Amino acid sequence: MVKAEIVKRPRDASFWITFSPAFSWLAFFYLIPLLLLLVYAFLHHDYVRVVRTFTLENFIEIFSNPGYRNTLFRTFRIATLVTLINAIIALPAAYFIALYTGRFKNIAMILLLLPLWSSYLVRIFAWRIILGYNGVLNSFLTQFHFLQEPTTLFLYNQFSMTLTLCYIWLPFMALPLIGAFERLPKRLLEAAADLGASGWIALRRVILPLILPGLLAGGLSVFSLTIGDYITPLMVGGAGDILAGNIVASQFGVADNWPLGAAFATVLLIILFFLMSFLSKKGALENL
């Protein structure tokens, strides 16, 4: 027994020495701010001050106010649409890059990641230049007489907001898919072809089940990034096209209603938590 205790003590000490810095970093920069956010979500706001009385009124207001409910539905609808569009675009691109670029693969990866090396705002302003009244698209359409005069239909609406979000978050969908395609056993594709499976059957029964964790990982990244975005709706969205992130930012900013902003952020975090818990069972988090 004495020998067992003597052997066990150094192991426990080394474990805590190794574990403590990581836990302290996680607690200070993540758990404590998250706990403060959760506490504020249950506090009461009285004009310009926060009353330290626990209440559910912030959550009741979010789900009873039609404006807040519509913003939540709009946020999830646009996030889902952006995720689906990016998946449709990224699937063939990732398949080609992973399996057919050969020695040019590094160049293809650089081209894919190139937008990420520029500023987030620069990418948004680039789409304003393309879609604006005097932008590239209107100039092209009027030059070739598809339009008699420039139109304002391309900018400051949900179309321009969705298009810009798709462009900004596309690499986050493509990268996990490229990894999933690289791990795809080519022998299975050859076996499916030898057994007479058509391209559609091979895609549905062989490829998609094997790359599903990568697809879910990319989808989770794009969905969560879109939900939290509040700059793109301000820059290219319409006046009534704000997302949930805009409400959180305004409540912590000009509205100065931190409890309501914290409650809104908590609702988003809870939904994302359940979504991540579900997708983790499908192996999506292992591909992030």
Side-chain angles (χ1 to χ4, degrees):
M1 292 294 291
V2 175
K3 288 183 178 178
E5 291 180 359
I6 291 174
V7 172
K8 189 176 179 180
R9 281 177 184 171
R11 184 182 300 172
D12 291 342
S14 63
F15 170 77
W16 285 110
I17 291 173
T18 306
F19 178 73
S20 295
F23 178 78
S24 301
W25 184 91
L26 185 67
F28 186 77
F29 289 105
Y30 182 74
L31 295 180
I32 293 176
L34 201 60
L35 183 61
L36 290 174
L37 181 75
L38 189 63
V39 170
Y40 263 90
F42 289 95
L43 295 182
H44 173 67
H45 181 258
D46 183 16
Y47 189 50
V48 292
R49 66 189 181 94
V50 176
V51 181
R52 302 185 185 282
T53 303
F54 281 84
T55 175
L56 292 174
E57 67 177 18
N58 298 315
F59 295 96
I60 294 173
E61 184 176 354
I62 289 172
F63 292 105
S64 62
N65 187 314
Y68 292 151
R69 283 205 310 269
N70 291 337
T71 303
L72 278 176
F73 288 136
R74 185 188 309 116
T75 301
F76 290 116
R77 178 168 52 81
I78 290 178
T80 303
L81 182 61
V82 170
T83 304
L84 290 176
I85 293 174
N86 273 351
I88 293 172
I89 296 173
L91 268 171
Y95 180 79
F96 180 78
I97 291 174
L99 301 180
Y100 292 104
T101 48
R103 59 193 177 94
F104 299 105
K105 183 179 176 182
N106 289 337
I107 297 176
M109 292 294 293
I110 291 173
L111 292 175
L112 176 66
L113 298 175
L114 195 59
L116 295 180
W117 296 345
S118 62
S119 168
Y120 176 86
L121 290 176
V122 168
R123 282 176 277 163
I124 296 177
F125 274 109
W127 279 104
R128 287 181 59 160
I129 293 172
I130 295 172
L131 302 174
Y133 184 80
N134 295 315
V136 177
L137 184 57
N138 268 318
S139 299
F140 174 81
L141 293 176
T142 52
Q143 180 72 26
F144 289 95
H145 304 290
F146 292 105
L147 291 176
Q148 296 299 322
E149 58 183 17
T151 177
T152 59
L153 293 177
F154 300 133
L155 193 59
Y156 302 125
N157 50 44
Q158 290 192 20
F159 164 75
S160 57
M161 182 168 60
T162 303
L163 183 63
T164 306
L165 288 169
C166 286
Y167 169 76
I168 291 175
W169 305 134
L170 181 61
F172 294 90
M173 174 66 83
L175 288 176
L177 278 174
I178 292 174
F181 277 119
E182 287 177 338
R183 293 190 296 271
L184 191 65
K186 294 182 180 179
R187 287 178 298 177
L188 291 179
L189 300 179
E190 296 170 356
D194 293 339
L195 293 173
S198 64
W200 168 246
I201 293 178
L203 173 66
R204 188 164 58 89
R205 295 188 177 182
V206 179
I207 297 176
L208 281 181
L210 291 175
I211 66 165
L212 185 61
L215 181 62
L216 294 177
L220 179 62
S221 297
V222 173
F223 189 83
S224 57
L225 288 169
T226 304
I227 281 181
D229 197 320
Y230 68 96
I231 298 177
T232 304
L234 284 178
M235 302 295 290
V236 296
D241 297 329
I242 62 171
L243 302 184
N246 297 98
I247 293 181
V248 175
S250 65
Q251 295 301 323
F252 278 100
V254 293
D256 198 24
N257 189 347
W258 289 20
L260 184 58
F264 233 103
T266 301
V267 170
L268 299 178
L269 287 174
I270 290 173
I271 293 172
L272 285 177
F273 172 77
F274 282 108
L275 181 62
M276 292 179 69
S277 299
F278 171 74
L279 294 181
S280 66
K281 297 178 182 177
K282 305 292 183 182
L285 299 185
E286 298 173 3
N287 290 267
L288 286 176

